[in-house]
Amino acid sequence: MTTTTTTPDQGPATTTGAVPTVTGAFPTVGEQLAHVGSLVRAARQHRGLTQAQLAERLGTSQSAVHRIEQGAQNVSFDMLTRIGAALDSPIVTLGAPQHTHLRVHGGLQLSGRLDVNTSKNGAVALLCASLLNRGTTRLRNVARIVEVDRIVDVLRSIGVRATWSTDGRDLEIVAPRRLDLGGIDADAARRTRSIIMFLGPLLGLEDTFELPYAGGCDLGTRTVEPHMIALRPFGLSVTATAGNYHAVVTDPGRRDLTVVLTERGDTVTENAIMAAARRDGVTTIRNASPNYMVQDLCFYLELLGVRVDGIGTTTLRVHGLPEIDADVEYSVSEDPVEAMSLLTAGIVTGSEITVGRVPIEFMEIELATLAEMGLRYTLSEEYAARNGRTRLVDVTVHPSELRAPIDKIHPLPFPGLNIDNLPFFAVIAACATGETLIHDWVYEGRAIHLTDLTRLGADVRLADAHRLFVSGPTRWSGAEVSCPPALRPAVVILLAMLAAKGTSVLRNVDIIARGYEQLQERLVELGAHIETFRD
């Protein structure tokens, strides 16, 4: 997204940044400066620079950079251009926004260690849940990705005070007594499916409200009906007209509730938990997802004083509180999907790398499946995550001769193979001897995007919208591919390019920033040769 400003004698100029922003002009100069400042800050943090380091590149003072980022200093077009050049992320461009592409020089062995970043799915759930608390929520080690920033934009637009720490890693959130839902940033809301997780907390705070339709990856039809089924017992009624959900909340008429989820979905479960948290009664949720982001949410609610029985199982009993006002601090747990992404980079390049801080409880099936395929790996002793609850290990993968598994590879709700980790097995299977059946039964159409691996030399045949036959081993070769419009397949193509000899180009990679923080830079740390360029 872009924000249009006008510069003398140059016509429209477009401000862009590492984080997509809201379309439309701002009504005051002060708000415009604040918006530009947030773009500069996001781009600087995306590059991992301090204010002092950026100031050194610009030949100015740290205090000047600080004022710019706070929106407290007028910024010339020339200065914005210089900042964009210093950060390799144009803050201002003339005309249409530029798309980002990657040039990958593949066939190189990787080495070294990377630690797993915290979970974006966990962070998004916690951001939504912060609406329940009238005290101060401090979230530690929050993933700085587009999806998170969109939710933060939405929260701020309805009156929530959300303040990043100086290093951009921690977020302090204070919700007002009364939310300004009429001021919601509809553009940011429509660009993320996560907005649907506002339904759960809001039904405990409002009698009537509206939310914009949800967006997100292009993965085919994904019904919201499971959310409606989960929330109707709480008195929620929703109609959809003119691009908005219109919600009406009535008293369900009883103190204790039992909710049976028809789909053991992560976000469905989170919505039901958040709806239960502000009820003066006990809610039993059956067929609940026990996945990592759900556990993060439960751990946070416990700090708020909400008792949750059965964490890690499919039956939860939530002892709600009609008022929640607590000052709490919580560290988001590590992301098993990023862990799988990094491990895959080592596997497909035949490298020995160590991936640290892997949440082993949510990776055991993946590692067991890889072991059946012949992967050699070693695990460290377990240690605790910063939240004190999640179990972590370091995983070292070794170069291995892989073979196709006897049975198909398919996902299941936790504790099965993670639905978001399934696409990585397509590129791994392409490196194995034999034929593998990948069955992606959850998403309509995601498997189709994985056929782009054929452009790089893989033998991938689509049986139907949900099933792929992958034969290997593959003689990977470089090619130019347009980034699929779905996050995980996009990363799978990038990882295959690491294995492909020669030069590959992955075009329009902006979607990767939705779920990964500086993935390119982190792969470069392991020895990958990846360059960013723009048209």
Side-chain angles (χ1 to χ4, degrees):
M1 271 176 290
T2 62
T3 297
T4 301
T5 60
T6 301
T7 55
D9 304 321
Q10 292 176 307
T14 302
T15 63
T16 67
V19 180
T21 55
V22 182
T23 300
F26 286 84
T28 69
V29 172
E31 289 173 340
Q32 190 76 286
L33 288 174
H35 182 65
V36 171
S38 70
L39 291 176
V40 173
R41 181 172 60 254
R44 173 180 60 77
Q45 291 169 344
H46 184 71
R47 287 296 165 195
L49 297 177
T50 65
Q51 289 181 341
Q53 289 170 325
L54 175 57
E56 183 177 358
R57 292 187 180 192
L58 297 173
T60 188
S61 65
Q62 180 182 349
S63 61
V65 172
H66 178 74
R67 288 194 301 273
I68 291 171
E69 293 187 356
Q70 295 300 310
Q73 179 167 314
N74 289 326
V75 188
S76 67
F77 188 87
D78 177 66
M79 174 57 80
L80 286 174
T81 303
R82 288 171 55 202
I83 293 172
L87 296 173
D88 191 28
S89 180
I91 306 300
V92 173
T93 59
L94 295 178
Q98 295 176 310
H99 293 289
T100 303
H101 318 294
L102 297 179
R103 184 177 292 109
V104 182
H105 303 279
L108 305 175
Q109 281 218 323
L110 309 180
S111 63
R113 172 190 171 114
L114 283 179
D115 287 346
V116 176
N117 283 324
T118 57
S119 157
K120 75 99 167 168
N121 288 329
V124 166
L126 294 168
L127 289 173
C128 296
S130 70
L131 289 171
L132 298 167
N133 185 22
R134 291 297 167 262
T136 300
T137 294
R138 293 181 180 86
L139 298 178
R140 303 295 189 192
N141 300 304
V142 179
R144 288 309 305 266
I145 57 173
V146 169
E147 192 82 351
V148 167
D149 280 310
R150 285 176 183 163
I151 294 296
V152 171
D153 285 344
V154 175
L155 289 174
R156 286 172 172 164
S157 72
I158 60 176
V160 175
R161 191 174 79 239
T163 307
W164 289 101
S165 61
T166 304
D167 63 3
R169 301 308 309 172
D170 304 332
L171 184 62
E172 182 176 287
I173 305 165
V174 182
R177 288 287 168 181
R178 187 70 180 176
L179 297 171
D180 178 20
L181 294 177
I184 192 167
D185 184 340
D187 189 67
R190 288 193 174 99
R191 293 179 65 84
T192 170
R193 278 198 178 93
S194 301
I195 195 65
I196 200 169
M197 288 200 297
F198 277 46
L199 290 174
L202 287 181
L203 73 81
L205 301 172
E206 305 286 340
D207 294 330
T208 61
F209 58 91
E210 291 188 358
L211 285 177
Y213 281 146
C217 288
D218 177 11
L219 295 174
T221 302
R222 288 176 63 186
T223 177
V224 299
E225 186 59 23
H227 292 268
M228 303 302 106
I229 293 171
L231 297 176
R232 283 186 195 121
F234 298 97
L236 180 70
S237 174
V238 176
T239 57
T241 58
N244 289 293
Y245 295 125
H246 300 264
V248 177
V249 184
T250 57
D251 187 345
R254 54 192 183 278
R255 186 172 181 273
D256 295 341
L257 296 176
T258 296
V259 178
V260 179
L261 305 183
T262 58
E263 175 185 292
R264 197 189 301 171
D266 301 325
T267 56
V268 172
T269 301
E270 289 167 332
N271 247 337
I273 292 170
M274 289 186 285
R278 282 292 294 257
R279 291 193 70 254
D280 185 14
V282 179
T283 304
T284 301
I285 304 172
R286 302 195 186 279
N287 196 31
S289 166
N291 211 356
Y292 63 96
M293 69 290 284
V294 176
Q295 293 195 26
D296 254 348
L297 173 60
C298 291
F299 297 153
Y300 167 71
L301 290 177
E302 287 188 321
L303 292 178
L304 296 181
V306 177
R307 177 177 153 197
V308 184
D309 301 328
I311 298 175
T313 75
T314 57
T315 299
L316 299 174
R317 286 174 59 83
V318 182
H319 302 254
L321 298 173
E323 291 292 331
I324 299 175
D325 189 343
D327 295 337
V328 298
E329 179 178 305
Y330 182 76
S331 293
V332 188
S333 68
E334 281 72 9
D335 189 345
V337 183
E338 183 179 279
M340 185 69 199
S341 309
L342 298 175
L343 291 171
T344 300
I347 293 168
V348 301
T349 58
S351 304
E352 181 172 306
I353 66 169
T354 297
V355 179
R357 307 189 68 82
V358 174
I360 186 60
E361 180 180 0
F362 307 101
M363 284 291 293
E364 289 176 330
I365 303 300
E366 284 82 343
L367 289 173
T369 302
L370 290 168
E372 286 297 310
M373 297 178 71
L375 179 69
R376 296 185 300 110
Y377 63 87
T378 54
L379 304 180
S380 71
E381 293 294 323
E382 289 186 7
Y383 53 97
R386 295 182 183 93
N387 64 14
R389 308 287 288 268
T390 306
R391 297 182 291 116
L392 304 179
V393 297
D394 301 338
V395 181
T396 301
V397 294
H398 309 283
S400 307
E401 294 291 329
L402 301 179
R403 56 184 177 273
I406 296 173
D407 198 5
K408 64 181 177 295
I409 299 178
H410 65 284
L412 286 171
F414 178 79
L417 192 147
N418 191 308
I419 292 165
D420 284 337
N421 279 340
L422 181 72
F424 300 105
F425 281 91
V427 66
I428 292 171
C431 297
T433 300
E435 183 178 78
T436 301
L437 171 59
I438 307 286
H439 187 191
D440 190 353
W441 57 268
V442 178
Y443 293 107
E444 298 169 6
R446 184 170 70 173
I448 295 172
H449 299 311
L450 295 171
T451 60
D452 283 345
L453 289 170
T454 59
R455 303 283 302 277
L456 297 161
D459 183 354
V460 179
R461 287 164 288 124
L462 190 68
D464 52 47
H466 295 277
R467 294 182 302 155
L468 292 167
F469 289 98
V470 184
S471 297
T474 299
R475 294 176 61 87
W476 298 104
S477 57
E480 181 169 317
V481 182
S482 291
C483 206
L487 174 59
R488 308 305 173 186
V491 176
V492 165
I493 301 301
L494 174 59
L495 297 177
M497 288 178 171
L498 296 181
K501 291 184 177 179
T503 300
S504 298
V505 172
L506 186 59
R507 292 199 167 271
N508 302 328
V509 297
D510 299 318
I511 193 171
I512 293 176
R514 278 193 59 230
Y516 291 82
E517 188 174 5
Q518 297 182 301
L519 179 62
Q520 170 202 342
E521 290 84 351
R522 286 158 63 72
L523 292 172
V524 168
E525 286 183 43
L526 294 175
H529 189 173
I530 306 173
E531 302 167 346
T532 301
F533 70 99
R534 297 176 179 86
D535 292 327

